[in-house]
Amino acid sequence: GGRPTIAGARITVERVLQMLAGSYAVEDIQRAYPHLSREQINAAIAYAGRLAREPVLCLSRRSSRGRLVVGAAPPAPQFWGEA
């Protein structure tokens, strides 16, 4: 419950992204799930991209010194350099 799924397919966006991250091609995903269209797979990728751009509010976290911090989430690690 509560996970984003592809409309009418009962497959989570997370599963599609895991397959892509695991070097599956779109065609491989379609072979595994023949009822998925290329457009549905692309929509899952676009949805994940929109989520990655949204600001995240962290209600509380601990600082490196163990102090409780309320406010914005810590900066995300940079894997591919600056955008």
Side-chain angles (χ1 to χ4, degrees), residues 4-5 13 17 39-56:
T5 58
V13 170
L17 296 175
E39 291 77 23
Q40 287 173 307
I41 294 168
N42 287 338
I45 297 166
Y47 175 79
R50 284 192 305 276
L51 286 182
R53 288 188 297 275
E54 288 186 10
V56 176

Side-chain angles (χ1 to χ4, degrees), residues 6-30:
I6 296 175
R10 296 181 57 117
I11 298 169
T12 64
V13 170
E14 178 184 16
R15 179 66 186 135
V16 171
L17 296 175
Q18 286 172 339
M19 293 177 83
L20 290 167
S23 299
Y24 282 73
V26 170
E27 293 78 16
D28 298 326
I29 296 170
Q30 287 180 300

Side-chain angles (χ1 to χ4, degrees), residues 56-78:
V56 176
L57 178 63
C58 182
L59 297 180
S60 65
R61 64 180 173 90
R62 297 277 175 193
S63 71
S64 59
R65 295 182 180 162
R67 295 183 179 146
L68 188 62
V69 178
V70 177
Q78 293 292 317

